[in-house]
Amino acid sequence: MSVAVPTELLSKYDRPGPRYTSYPTVPVWTPEVGDAEYRRALGDLARLPEDELSLYLHLPFCLARCHYCGCNSIVSRDPEIIDGYLDHVERELGLVTSFLGRKRRVVQLHWGGGSPNYLDESQLRRAFGMIRSAFEIEPEGEISIEIDPRIATREQIFLLRELGFNRISLGIQDFDRRVQKAIGRTQHEHPTRELYSACRDAGFESVNLDLIYGLPAQTPESFERTLSTILELRPDRVACYSYAHVPWVRPNQKKVDTTFLPAPNDKFRLFQLAVERFQAAGYEWIGLDHFARSDDELAVALQRRSLHRSFMGYTTRPAEHLLAFGVSGIGDLANRFVQNDSSLDGWQQALESDRLPVVRGHRLSPDDLLRRESILNLMCNLELPFDLTSARFGVRLHEALREELERLRPYEKDGLVRFETDRVAVTETGRFFLRNLCMELDAYLDPTGGKPVFSRTV
Ligand code: SF4
């Protein structure tokens, strides 16, 4: 369905803002949460032996750095560095399980990076084996991996399936050659199509393709062609991320020629095009920027209102706690966020002295938990029910966040939300401004704008 969004609204709401993969967001976290607090969190988790776990393993290695990259990646051609990295992951697994005991139940495992498939066969087997011997992975669990198709082979895809991965995500970004040149990433269409077929032949339950809109040299015509190719492939899911140009955080982005970046209105049009094309092809628009075939469990979870959003994106299997391993990994457990050191040396040195390599984090207060639940509801279910979380926190949303709800009134005038008797509902137009709506519930945002740490919302 095509929604006409007036340009005035775009200029009014185009401002820096978080993407809310967490609340409170990372810039709010402090170095006071380190090794000692993580030990306490793990101690608390050990007293909840029945709680299910999600695991994240960060494998940061890549062949070369793409100009637009916003991930914590390490360019290396030295296999010994990767072996050494895995030695340290093994130490980290040992330290964490010394608190929890071995064989805690895991319902979700995700490998991200970097390019996890930069590891060779023996390294992939070793990494998977280490996790399997430390945790009990549910046979029906979500076991997913992100891969760079440019370095993958058909054999590797079958190996990943054999190891136990049942979901796979292929980085595409854009098939247009001009765009690829502008972002320093050459990826030919034909081999990518062959690799996609290999994923289907290997029997992955879900194949996801990643796109990015707002890249340099992208035009509605070029993006339309990329979308047509994606739709021919019929992936189960597509993530269509907004390019966040933040060279002050990611210096590699200084290589992006900003004169080729689409203007905010043009960038918005690119995303609108994606929404139109995917919806017309029978995909459900999930939350902020994902699309799923209507038979995919993400779309089913949307209907059942059981969607969840975390650092790993939208998911259907929310475990109570997320444990992260590897450089820069972010955990979310026992009401704390913890982030590992982003520098390889720092992360390794901590582990060598038997310290947990956490350098920042946040302990969530009851107020944080209520706001977090509210933001999750907006991001997943596109609504704020007034009696939200009343059982969990003994407080009703419309009593605890009265002022914040009032701040949403002007959005109703702009047609972005609708106040109903029992909830605030996001309208079709409002879906494009979800981040802005969430910002009204954020107790930590600097109203003056402060230091520009976030990307722009449009
Ligand atoms: S392949 Fe992905 S993680 Fe690696 S540099 Fe390119 S964008 Fe970053």
Side-chain angles (χ1 to χ4, degrees):
M1 181 180 26
S2 178
V3 179
V5 180
T7 356
E8 307 85 77
L9 282 189
L10 296 181
S11 0
K12 182 171 174 184
Y13 291 113
D14 182 18
R15 63 180 79 142
R19 295 186 69 250
Y20 292 108
T21 46
S22 72
Y23 178 81
T25 55
V26 178
V28 169
W29 302 358
T30 63
E32 276 99 70
V33 173
D35 168 70
E37 186 65 30
Y38 192 22
R39 284 172 190 262
R40 279 192 285 275
L42 289 168
D44 289 350
L45 188 51
R47 286 186 285 280
L48 301 166
E50 298 306 317
D51 281 11
E52 296 178 331
L53 304 180
S54 285
L55 303 184
Y56 173 74
L57 173 62
H58 191 75
L59 294 161
F61 303 99
C62 287
L63 182 65
R65 193 169 335 265
C66 311
H67 302 346
Y68 67 94
C69 181
C71 305
N72 192 296
S73 54
I74 297 171
V75 172
S76 170
R77 294 182 188 232
D78 180 358
E80 282 181 18
I81 290 191
I82 303 179
D83 289 333
Y85 186 85
L86 294 183
D87 292 344
H88 287 82
V89 171
E90 195 160 27
R91 270 176 179 263
E92 197 177 9
L93 284 162
L95 260 177
V96 168
T97 51
S98 69
F99 290 88
L100 300 180
R102 294 211 155 223
K103 298 294 178 184
R104 280 284 296 250
R105 210 156 70 90
V106 167
V107 294
Q108 191 180 42
L109 166 65
H110 183 76
W111 287 15
S115 309
N117 66 313
Y118 194 50
L119 273 60
D120 67 23
E121 176 174 345
S122 66
Q123 291 162 339
L124 287 168
R125 286 190 187 279
R126 180 181 172 205
F128 206 90
M130 286 178 343
I131 293 175
R132 230 190 237 300
S133 69
F135 293 95
E136 187 68 48
I137 304 171
E138 278 266 291
E140 300 296 307
E142 268 186 30
I143 308 175
S144 52
I145 184 167
E146 297 164 14
I147 67 154
D148 179 352
R150 299 172 301 164
I151 53 170
T153 60
R154 187 174 172 86
E155 292 69 35
Q156 190 185 50
I157 297 294
F158 277 76
L159 167 68
L160 295 173
R161 187 73 190 100
E162 178 210 313
L163 286 174
F165 289 99
N166 50 28
R167 286 162 176 75
I168 192 162
S169 183
L170 279 61
I172 305 245
Q173 326 318 348
D174 196 313
F175 278 126
D176 186 84
R177 299 302 290 274
R178 276 190 63 227
V179 176
Q180 291 187 0
K181 192 159 177 258
I183 60 174
R185 180 185 172 108
T186 306
Q187 182 170 344
H188 299 290
E189 189 181 315
H190 182 66
T192 307
R193 278 177 180 269
E194 291 204 323
L195 210 76
Y196 176 84
S197 303
C199 295
R200 289 296 183 205
D201 296 344
F204 281 90
E205 285 167 33
S206 180
V207 183
N208 173 84
L209 302 182
D210 279 349
L211 297 178
I212 300 184
Y213 70 95
L215 290 172
Q218 260 176 350
T219 63
E221 295 71 31
S222 72
F223 201 50
E224 180 94 57
R225 283 193 296 276
T226 291
L227 292 171
S228 298
T229 309
I230 299 294
L231 284 169
E232 266 176 51
L233 296 171
R234 295 287 299 166
D236 301 282
R237 299 175 187 179
V238 177
C240 187
Y241 297 114
S242 165
Y243 171 56
H245 189 65
V246 286
W248 55 90
V249 186
R250 298 285 172 204
N252 53 291
Q253 293 184 345
K254 289 184 184 142
K255 287 192 182 156
V256 170
D257 186 343
T258 50
T259 54
F260 291 116
L261 283 176
N265 286 1
D266 299 334
K267 182 179 177 189
F268 180 80
R269 179 68 199 129
L270 294 170
F271 183 57
Q272 219 180 11
L273 204 58
V275 172
E276 286 165 18
R277 292 294 309 273
F278 285 117
Q279 286 188 327
Y283 283 74
E284 290 280 349
W285 180 7
I286 310 284
L288 192 64
D289 46 16
H290 282 47
F291 301 90
R293 268 173 24 184
S294 48
D295 55 347
D296 185 89
E297 57 181 15
L298 213 53
V300 176
L302 174 72
Q303 301 306 334
R304 292 194 185 137
R305 311 166 76 71
S306 58
L307 260 187
H308 188 73
R309 177 174 160 84
S310 70
F311 301 104
M312 299 178 291
Y314 284 92
T315 165
T316 59
R317 290 293 304 260
E320 283 284 314
H321 314 274
L322 166 68
L323 299 176
F325 298 89
V327 71
S328 77
I330 293 179
D332 171 3
L333 67 152
N335 293 337
R336 281 92 155 181
F337 288 122
V338 287
Q339 181 169 31
N340 279 352
D341 203 322
S342 304
S343 98
L344 185 60
D345 281 349
W347 174 74
Q348 293 191 157
Q349 279 164 17
L351 289 164
E352 281 159 20
S353 26
D354 285 333
R355 274 183 296 115
L356 288 158
V358 165
V359 292
R360 73 179 64 79
H362 185 84
R363 220 189 139 103
L364 285 101
S365 67
D367 181 71
D368 291 335
L369 290 166
L370 178 68
R371 288 172 195 268
R372 175 191 191 179
E373 202 78 27
S374 310
I375 286 173
L376 262 177
N377 255 275
L378 277 177
M379 281 285 180
C380 296
N381 301 327
L382 310 171
E383 63 169 17
L384 278 176
F386 293 147
D387 62 354
L388 181 81
T389 66
S390 54
R392 198 159 157 201
F393 306 109
V395 63
R396 283 162 64 89
L397 170 82
H398 78 289
E399 286 154 5
L401 301 181
R402 199 184 295 271
E403 271 181 34
E404 287 75 2
L405 286 175
E406 277 314 302
R407 289 210 291 266
L408 291 176
R409 290 276 177 195
Y411 290 83
E412 188 170 36
K413 289 205 184 81
D414 284 336
L416 307 190
V417 296
R418 219 174 26 249
F419 276 73
E420 299 177 353
T421 48
D422 57 349
R423 63 176 195 151
V424 179
V426 179
T427 64
E428 278 301 308
T429 309
R431 296 200 62 172
F432 292 99
F433 302 95
L434 271 184
R435 289 165 68 182
N436 300 79
L437 300 174
C438 294
M439 284 162 74
E440 298 298 352
L441 305 175
D442 190 333
Y444 297 96
L445 273 189
D446 178 354
T448 62
K451 230 170 78 195
V453 286
F454 299 115
S455 60
R456 299 192 77 82
T457 52
V458 170

